Amino acid sequence: MTTTDSHHTEGRADQLARGLTVFAGLLLIMVGIWQMLLGTMALLNDEILVTTPEWVFKLDLTKWGWIHLLLGAVMILVGAFVLRGARWAAITAIVLAVVSAVINFTWIPYY
């Protein structure tokens, strides 16, 4: 392999890394917007009735609304820093992805 071939390969790797970083940052921002929409909906319609064959439950979604709203705002902010190339943001984004998955999993019964 010549010197120009190795530079060409490194250039492709750099382009791939940049492309994946942009994808991750934009995806984090998009999920953050979705979280904020869920939070806003939960705050605007904060009481729901759940019926079972024997009981009727009245649930308040205000806490869930604030959790989704704040998580979404943090995700958007971290996504912007991922796009800027901040190393701490990449690690924080991974943690936020896990937290978001857990919160959305526990949100399923209310959804």
Side-chain angles (χ1 to χ4, degrees), residues 44-60:
L44 293 176
N45 190 14
D46 63 345
E47 290 184 355
I48 60 171
L49 296 176
V50 177
T51 59
T52 66
E54 297 179 16
W55 305 96
V56 175
F57 297 99
K58 181 179 177 184
L59 303 173
D60 187 3

Side-chain angles (χ1 to χ4, degrees), residues 4 6-7 10 33 36-37 41 45 48 51 62 64-66 74 78-83 87-89 94-95 97 106:
T4 56
S6 65
H7 287 307
E10 288 174 10
I33 291 169
M36 290 187 75
L37 289 173
M41 287 186 292
N45 190 14
I48 60 171
T51 59
T62 303
W64 277 111
W66 283 109
V74 171
V78 171
F81 277 99
V82 167
L83 291 175
R87 183 175 289 281
W88 66 267
I94 294 168
V95 172
T106 56

